[in-house]
Amino acid sequence: MPNLLENLNDEQHAAVTHTSGPLLIIAGAGTGKTTVLTHRIAHLIEQGMAKPEEIVALTFTEKAAREMSDRVDRLLNTSYTSITIATFHAFCQQLLERYGLDIGLPAPFRLLTPPECWRLMKENFERFNLDYYRPLATPTRFLQGLIQHFSRCKDELILPEEYLHYATELQGDTDLAEFTRKKMRVGSADDERILEIAKTKEIADAYHVYQAILLEHHALDFGDLLLYAHHLLEMRPNVTRALQEQHRFILVDEFQDTNWAQYQLLRKLVNDEANIAVVGDDDQSIYKWRGAAISNVLQFTKDFPQTRTVALTANYRSAQPILDRAYAVIQRNNPNRLEVQIGVSKQLRAARTHDGTVAHVNAATGEGEAAFVATRIRALHEEGAPWGEMAVLARAHSHLDSFVQALERHGIPYQYHAATGLLKTPFAVTALAILRALMSYYDNTALYRVTQMPPFRLNPDDHAALLSFERRETTYYDTLNRALTSGAAVSDDGKARITRLLQLIRSHAARIHDEPAGVILLSFLEESGYLKQLADSSHKQDAVAIETLLHLQTFFDLIEQFCATYPEPTVRAFVAYVDDLLESGDEGGAPRPLLVLDAVQLLTIHGAKGLEFQHVFVVNLVERRFPTDARHDAIPVPDALVKETIPPGDHHLEEERRLFYVALTRAKISVTATSATSYGGARDKKVSRFIEELGVESTSASGGSNQKPAITAAAPPVERAAAALPLPTHFSFSQLKAYETCPLQYKFAHILHIPTFGKPSFTFGQTMHRTLQRFYERVQALNSVTQQNLFVAPAGAASKEIRVPSCDELLDIYAQSWADEWYGSKKQRDTYFEEGKRMLRDFFEQQETAGWRVPRLLERGFTIRINRVTVRGRIDRIDQTADGGLVIIDYKTGKPKTALDTDDKEQLYLYHIAANEVPELRALGQTVELTFYYLEDGSRQSFIGTPEALERYKQKVLTTVQRIEARDFAPDPGPFKCRTCDFRDICEFRQLS
């Protein structure tokens, strides 16, 4: 293990080595908060103060959780089963999956996304008995606002019963019936009062109905995860005590972004030792719009009076002049800052001595402002600044449009991190056009979009010839057919492209009623040659191709999410599902995170949180743009129900100022704030008050910078940046096996992440594993097994006295666990379903005969280190024999084997290594048996890993990872491998005979 305390400054050292009790780490911008968090976790383990499974670290995003987990892995030169590093919502979901039955939640439950909640409300619209919130012209207009309102209620831990009680008390003796009959017309102050009462009663009733509908459908939304997790801990003291004993050390990242529900959950989880460390900075709290309660930071020291406070003030990013200007601005938020509230200095000091500048430039027009920024960026680049070390930050995405145009005119490479949702990306629009064209040949818009795909795109002359026919035909489909039969002046290449397109449209349209949407779309993309073109371009590190692949991956994630919900996942059903998403105001969520290229970055300030650049341009700094006007929730939560303590002052302006502070502290060397007098409206704009607070002299954009430059043939082209996808930071058995089969196949699957046709056998295998896990969890519960930790239970030896659910209950669990993805037809799905029932009946009968055993561990994850390589895995089941030996079991749903060769054994070799090297598993006993259990016929193949065999496998892992790190993805084709490869249709090296 590296020296964890080496190179830490005094403040960081104090935070990392704090031994016990509550700890508040005030981590200013650029002060190394992630370093402190990860080193503190590793230090607790290294010093024996905590076992890995006794630590829980909570974050706000999956990305932050992954990054923290990877950094901890690199610091810990040891193997372990689990450190819980998760988002608040993921932690609560696991908690409710384990204990939800204790408070009457359905088991299992489905977690619905916001658009799925919208659809559920729409399908049950008549049950809500809405009046005011059901306008005649657009009855579903307020659905999205109601869902957001319910979410805010859950942020405040407001149960439907509490809301109904408040509405009833507010109503008192007021008669709402006559007012409702008059269609809620307001004619007086008394009518206004009655209207507010009626609206509140209507919302309270709707909230109650909404929660009932969710539970009827065995579903929860994201807000429910926090609401019910807190309710569980409040209503079940035994569960709370078990969790407090298990999670002795709690760490929280970005504490300033917690809402009321998250903070109250943390308070419930903290035991008497109060070993909770929270890391945050009240000056960087910029998410009030999604429920963040800055008062939590101020409240922490009051709730935990023994709190030790450590302020990290050594900044490793920015020059001192930038830090000084930023500090001058943020002090305008006093007294509602920790610096004043608890008397701690938060003034940042630069740890690195380099020059820095802060300037303000005002242009006459918005175009002139954008032109000035582009000119200055090119000058900085000529002075040596890399493109990727410069950023243009704006308050809103719409403010960046003119800067995109200016950078293009100046031939500057840029990357625009737009707020566009998945369904608005070019790939998603094309994919949906394909599906719509398959549903109807005569959808002109959709079919035209398909013809613009690279495999079908016509040259300009052919396109012009086609247009001459388009005027004579009623549909674009007829136009394409006529171009092939009427002697049109279309080239042979053009006719070949049209012919191939029409053939694909017809052949795939014939399949849309029988096959899932994902299968149809992926087949079309493969047979058209589009996937191959993307793969070939990505090999050359083409940034556009790689970005398209990232969007493609996310689109297929959406399809899988749809398939998990709909029993008949046809093309028509999927298109209707997407239409509902768009109608609800959702754009399909964010695409997968894009790679950061060596190009100027254009982002909103919210999007830039956590990033840093040498040179930062903060643009459009005029009143009503930055700071913006205050916006309020469409349906605000009544003040009487809000539990958060609201500090006095102008909350909106203070948050806008914090956002400006975040923008300033992204910069290492220079900040250039820009504004314009006119953005095209009738009135001139007033320079933002933040410029005055910044305390710098303002200058005017000089020369011709205020004029929109003409586009000429001499303008340099926009440079296209190359991109290289990152390598994995950890590996699994399946990854390593894929590389061994064919390195190029590994690249397609695990580097490029190209979607593949899912296999029914894979979906079926997942269902069977999930069924047996849930069944044996009930076995553990029936036998009163004491929980070792939140997700794992120990067990006793085999006994005829062991209580188990009935076979019928096992089959019920199977039906609840069933997933429909990737079955080619209803007949195939039904065949698999019946086969699974047969296997489980046989399995139950075999256990009855042999004697039941309560598993020691189920679905146990582990992380091991083989030299410097991190390998992760999950063991299906571990039993313990009467004499304390461990039996590791892996279920197989494939064809049983009568004999195993070395390659077959390697998966269990990996599990054996984990059992030997992970302290928690090693303490349970010595591994005495490795077993593959074949569910098809109940047969077993058992063996033991010799020390020599385990060492050989370790060396094989190291050799494989060395080749991956060297980016050795040379193809290794062969007839059998290529015939079974998911990527054979896009691989130029395939050998099929």
Side-chain angles (χ1 to χ4, degrees):
M1 183 176 291
N3 185 344
L4 295 172
L5 306 181
E6 190 177 7
N7 299 325
L8 297 181
N9 63 42
D10 291 345
E11 299 157 344
Q12 292 173 331
H13 186 280
V16 168
T17 58
H18 174 76
T19 54
S20 61
L23 174 66
L24 171 61
I25 305 170
I26 304 171
T31 57
K33 72 175 179 65
T34 306
T35 295
V36 168
L37 271 174
T38 53
H39 281 243
R40 176 164 174 76
I41 292 171
H43 182 73
L44 287 170
I45 296 169
E46 181 192 48
Q47 297 300 310
M49 289 185 284
K51 298 175 183 177
E53 61 271 18
E54 292 176 328
I55 296 172
V56 57
L58 299 176
T59 71
F60 279 84
T61 66
E62 294 287 353
K63 180 174 179 287
R66 285 194 302 270
E67 290 176 353
M68 189 183 299
S69 181
D70 289 343
R71 290 181 68 165
V72 169
D73 279 346
R74 289 194 292 272
L75 290 173
L76 284 174
N77 190 22
T78 185
S79 301
Y80 57 91
T81 49
S82 64
I83 300 173
T84 302
I85 300 176
T87 64
F88 274 93
H89 288 92
F91 177 80
C92 290
Q93 183 174 353
Q94 290 176 313
L95 178 63
L96 293 176
E97 285 172 348
R98 185 68 181 176
Y99 295 110
L101 280 172
D102 289 9
I103 54 171
L105 293 183
F109 59 80
R110 286 194 306 115
L111 183 61
L112 301 187
T113 62
E116 288 175 322
C117 296
W118 183 92
R119 184 183 180 95
L120 191 63
M121 282 192 73
K122 183 181 176 184
E123 290 171 348
N124 294 272
F125 190 58
E126 296 303 321
R127 293 179 58 181
F128 284 93
N129 195 30
L130 298 173
D131 194 334
Y132 181 86
Y133 290 103
R134 184 180 181 172
L136 190 62
T138 53
T140 60
R141 171 185 162 195
F142 285 102
L143 285 190
Q144 193 63 37
L146 286 168
I147 289 172
Q148 290 171 350
H149 180 78
F150 302 153
S151 177
R152 287 287 295 116
C153 288
K154 293 169 186 181
D155 288 345
E156 295 288 335
L157 295 179
I158 302 168
L159 290 166
E161 295 75 16
E162 182 182 355
Y163 211 138
L164 284 170
H165 178 73
Y166 167 75
T168 301
E169 286 203 332
L170 187 67
Q171 180 178 349
D173 297 330
T174 304
D175 182 11
L176 300 178
E178 180 63 25
F179 190 68
T180 303
R181 279 194 296 272
K182 293 190 295 182
K183 299 300 180 185
M184 297 188 177
R185 293 191 179 94
V186 177
S188 65
D190 191 51
D191 285 344
E192 185 73 42
R193 180 186 65 82
I194 297 174
L195 174 63
E196 289 306 310
I197 295 172
K199 287 164 61 178
T200 302
K201 182 71 165 57
E202 191 171 306
I203 293 171
D205 289 338
Y207 185 23
H208 186 269
V209 171
Y210 173 73
Q211 289 301 102
I213 291 171
L214 284 174
L215 293 178
E216 287 170 16
H217 286 79
H218 286 205
L220 304 182
D221 65 18
F222 282 98
D224 285 329
L225 296 176
L226 294 167
L227 181 73
Y228 287 127
H230 181 269
H231 187 59
L232 168 71
L233 300 186
E234 199 166 56
M235 302 301 294
R236 297 292 179 262
N238 59 319
V239 174
T240 304
R241 283 193 299 272
L243 292 171
Q244 289 175 344
E245 290 172 8
Q246 168 60 30
H247 298 305
R248 292 183 50 241
F249 286 86
I250 299 172
L251 298 93
V252 185
D253 189 19
E254 302 287 9
F255 182 64
Q256 78 276 355
D257 294 334
T258 54
N259 58 36
W260 174 263
Q262 288 161 335
Y263 182 49
Q264 296 309 309
L265 180 75
L266 289 170
R267 292 185 63 192
K268 292 285 186 186
L269 286 173
V270 173
N271 61 23
D272 292 340
E273 295 177 287
N275 290 322
I276 178 171
V278 299
V279 183
D281 179 12
D282 57 311
D283 291 334
Q284 297 185 76
S285 179
I286 58 174
Y287 292 110
K288 179 64 181 175
W289 52 273
R290 68 182 190 195
I294 189 173
S295 58
N296 290 344
V297 185
L298 305 175
Q299 186 67 31
F300 185 81
T301 54
K302 298 176 184 177
D303 292 334
F304 298 97
Q306 309 88 1
T307 295
R308 179 183 180 184
T309 300
V310 176
L312 307 181
T313 56
N315 177 284
Y316 293 91
R317 176 187 302 153
S318 305
Q320 193 64 50
I322 296 173
L323 298 177
D324 290 343
R325 296 296 184 186
Y327 185 65
V329 169
I330 201 61
Q331 281 192 299
R332 300 293 185 108
N333 277 358
N334 289 338
N336 294 327
R337 295 177 58 242
L338 278 176
E339 192 166 43
V340 174
Q341 295 283 324
I342 64 175
V344 59
S345 174
K346 293 184 59 189
Q347 186 165 9
L348 300 179
R349 62 184 190 278
R352 298 190 176 101
T353 55
H354 58 261
D355 294 334
T357 60
V358 180
H360 170 236
V361 177
N362 186 68
T365 65
E367 289 87 352
E369 178 188 7
F372 166 78
V373 169
T375 302
R376 181 64 185 140
I377 285 174
R378 184 166 279 285
L380 287 169
H381 181 64
E382 290 169 357
E383 293 169 10
W387 294 123
E389 282 288 347
M390 292 181 278
V392 180
L393 307 183
R395 177 64 181 82
H397 280 283
S398 59
H399 300 168
L400 289 168
D401 293 342
S402 61
F403 296 91
V404 169
Q405 297 165 14
L407 294 177
E408 287 182 347
R409 283 194 296 267
H410 284 73
I412 296 172
Y414 66 89
Q415 188 173 17
Y416 180 21
H417 299 259
T420 303
L422 169 68
L423 297 176
K424 296 295 186 181
T425 61
F427 172 79
V429 173
T430 297
L432 288 167
I434 292 169
L435 298 178
R436 294 183 194 278
L438 298 181
M439 288 166 52
S440 172
Y441 298 165
Y442 303 110
D443 187 327
N444 292 339
T445 304
L447 188 56
Y448 179 79
R449 176 80 187 196
V450 178
T451 64
Q452 300 310 299
M453 292 173 63
F456 310 121
R457 191 178 298 141
L458 302 178
N459 65 45
D461 291 337
D462 287 343
H463 187 66
L466 204 63
L467 288 176
S468 67
F469 283 104
E470 191 173 10
R471 300 187 190 97
R472 296 178 241 166
E473 302 296 342
T474 56
T475 70
Y476 197 62
Y477 178 76
D478 291 332
T479 298
L480 294 172
N481 276 293
R482 185 176 175 85
L484 297 176
T485 59
S486 62
V490 176
S491 69
D492 290 342
D493 175 71
K495 289 181 178 179
R497 289 171 182 258
I498 294 171
T499 300
R500 188 164 70 253
L501 169 62
L502 294 178
Q503 287 173 344
L504 282 174
I505 291 283
R506 292 172 189 135
S507 64
H508 285 77
R511 300 161 52 187
I512 65 171
H513 301 293
D514 304 313
E515 298 181 49
V519 172
I520 296 289
L521 178 60
L522 192 54
S523 174
F524 190 96
L525 294 174
E526 280 197 349
E527 292 184 30
S528 68
Y530 183 64
L531 265 188
K532 186 177 188 314
Q533 288 186 7
L534 281 180
D536 291 345
S537 296
S538 67
H539 288 323
K540 300 169 185 173
Q541 299 186 350
D542 181 278
V544 174
I546 290 176
E547 181 176 308
T548 303
L549 279 173
L550 291 169
H551 293 164
L552 184 150
Q553 295 160 30
T554 316
F555 192 82
F556 274 86
D557 289 344
L558 180 68
I559 292 178
E560 289 201 17
Q561 176 183 306
F562 156 78
C563 290
T565 307
Y566 288 77
E568 298 290 339
T570 62
V571 167
R572 194 170 297 278
F574 177 69
V575 171
Y577 170 77
V578 170
D579 287 342
D580 278 343
L581 286 185
L582 294 170
E583 186 183 345
S584 73
D586 190 277
E587 293 182 353
R592 290 184 184 236
L594 301 183
L595 297 172
V596 176
L597 308 177
D598 184 22
V600 176
Q601 303 295 301
L602 281 77
L603 311 100
T604 63
I605 302 168
H606 283 101
K609 182 77 160 56
L611 303 178
E612 58 182 32
F613 308 92
Q614 288 181 9
H615 305 282
V616 168
F617 294 82
V618 189
V619 300
N620 278 205
L621 274 158
V622 294
E623 291 292 301
R624 306 194 72 181
R625 288 199 173 200
F626 198 10
T628 62
D629 292 336
R631 294 181 181 178
H632 303 285
D633 292 337
I635 307 174
V637 177
D639 290 342
L641 292 176
V642 174
K643 299 181 174 69
E644 175 196 351
T645 302
I646 308 293
D650 188 333
H651 317 305
H652 172 72
L653 180 59
E654 289 180 4
E655 173 134 341
E656 290 290 292
R657 188 174 285 115
R658 291 194 294 270
L659 195 59
F660 186 52
Y661 176 80
V662 167
L664 296 173
T665 54
R666 298 311 93 198
K668 301 176 187 177
I669 299 174
S670 78
V671 174
T672 305
T674 67
S675 58
T677 303
S678 171
Y679 290 95
R683 295 183 179 179
D684 287 348
K685 297 293 184 183
K686 182 181 178 182
V687 172
S688 170
R689 71 193 73 188
F690 296 154
I691 297 300
E692 179 184 346
E693 295 174 6
L694 199 57
V696 296
E697 257 188 58
S698 297
T699 60
S700 298
S702 58
S705 296
N706 285 330
Q707 302 302 318
K708 184 174 180 178
I711 300 176
T712 68
V718 174
E719 302 169 25
R720 174 173 289 184
L725 283 163
L727 296 174
T729 57
H730 57 269
F731 300 87
S732 66
F733 173 78
S734 60
Q735 276 192 54
L736 298 169
K737 198 69 177 175
Y739 187 88
E740 181 185 341
T741 302
C742 174
L744 183 57
Q745 181 191 85
Y746 174 88
K747 180 179 181 181
F748 283 136
H750 298 286
I751 305 296
L752 298 176
H753 298 285
I754 294 176
T756 60
F757 292 106
K759 294 181 173 62
S761 58
F762 181 72
T763 301
F764 179 68
Q766 287 184 317
T767 297
M768 296 297 285
H769 277 74
R770 191 159 48 241
T771 298
L772 290 173
Q773 177 191 351
R774 291 171 176 171
F775 174 77
Y776 273 113
E777 284 173 350
R778 292 197 188 179
V779 171
Q780 291 173 332
L782 285 172
N783 290 278
S784 302
V785 176
T786 303
Q787 295 294 316
Q788 270 192 333
N789 61 35
L790 180 56
F791 310 120
V792 172
S799 167
K800 291 184 179 179
E801 301 302 319
I802 289 174
R803 299 170 59 200
V804 297
S806 67
C807 187
D808 286 343
E809 288 176 274
L810 172 60
L811 296 179
D812 284 343
I813 295 171
Y814 172 63
Q816 292 169 359
S817 303
W818 182 259
D820 276 329
E821 296 98 322
W822 296 111
Y823 292 104
S825 64
K826 184 178 184 301
K827 180 179 179 181
Q828 185 184 52
R829 182 187 63 199
D830 292 345
T831 300
Y832 268 99
F833 186 77
E834 292 302 318
E835 179 65 5
K837 288 168 65 175
R838 180 198 64 77
M839 288 182 184
L840 291 171
R841 289 193 194 97
D842 292 348
F843 175 84
F844 192 91
E845 190 175 307
Q846 284 182 331
Q847 308 312 308
E848 286 276 275
T849 302
W852 290 95
R853 184 181 296 276
V854 183
R856 179 73 185 193
L857 301 173
L858 290 172
E859 291 294 324
R860 193 52 164 156
F862 62 83
T863 299
I864 61 174
R865 296 295 295 269
I866 300 178
N867 287 4
R868 58 182 179 76
V869 176
T870 301
V871 182
R872 294 179 182 171
R874 184 170 295 276
I875 301 173
D876 289 348
R877 172 177 165 182
I878 299 179
D879 286 358
Q880 196 164 34
T881 62
D883 57 0
L886 298 185
V887 178
I888 294 176
I889 298 172
D890 190 74
Y891 297 117
K892 295 294 182 187
T893 53
K895 185 176 180 180
K897 292 195 174 186
T898 56
L900 301 175
D901 59 26
T902 301
D903 287 350
D904 294 327
K905 297 178 180 180
E906 287 178 343
Q907 182 178 5
L908 288 183
Y909 283 164
L910 180 62
Y911 296 170
H912 194 166
I913 293 168
N916 288 348
E917 298 189 0
V918 173
E920 181 191 355
L921 298 181
R922 190 171 62 237
L924 298 178
Q926 182 179 357
T927 301
V928 296
E929 184 180 294
L930 305 171
T931 296
F932 285 121
Y933 190 110
Y934 295 97
L935 293 169
E936 183 175 309
D937 62 0
S939 63
R940 295 169 176 251
Q941 286 290 338
S942 299
F943 57 97
I944 191 68
T946 66
E948 296 78 15
L950 301 185
E951 187 58 35
R952 281 195 299 271
Y953 184 65
K954 287 182 181 180
Q955 293 304 315
K956 186 176 182 179
V957 169
L958 292 174
T959 301
T960 300
V961 172
Q962 285 172 358
R963 293 181 62 191
I964 293 172
E965 290 176 341
R967 295 187 179 267
D968 177 5
F969 300 122
D972 183 18
F976 176 75
K977 285 191 283 189
C978 292
R979 280 197 299 270
T980 58
C981 177
D982 290 322
F983 308 104
R984 61 183 179 275
D985 293 330
I986 65 171
C987 180
E988 60 185 299
F989 303 101
R990 64 184 179 184
Q991 295 178 6
L992 301 180
S993 59

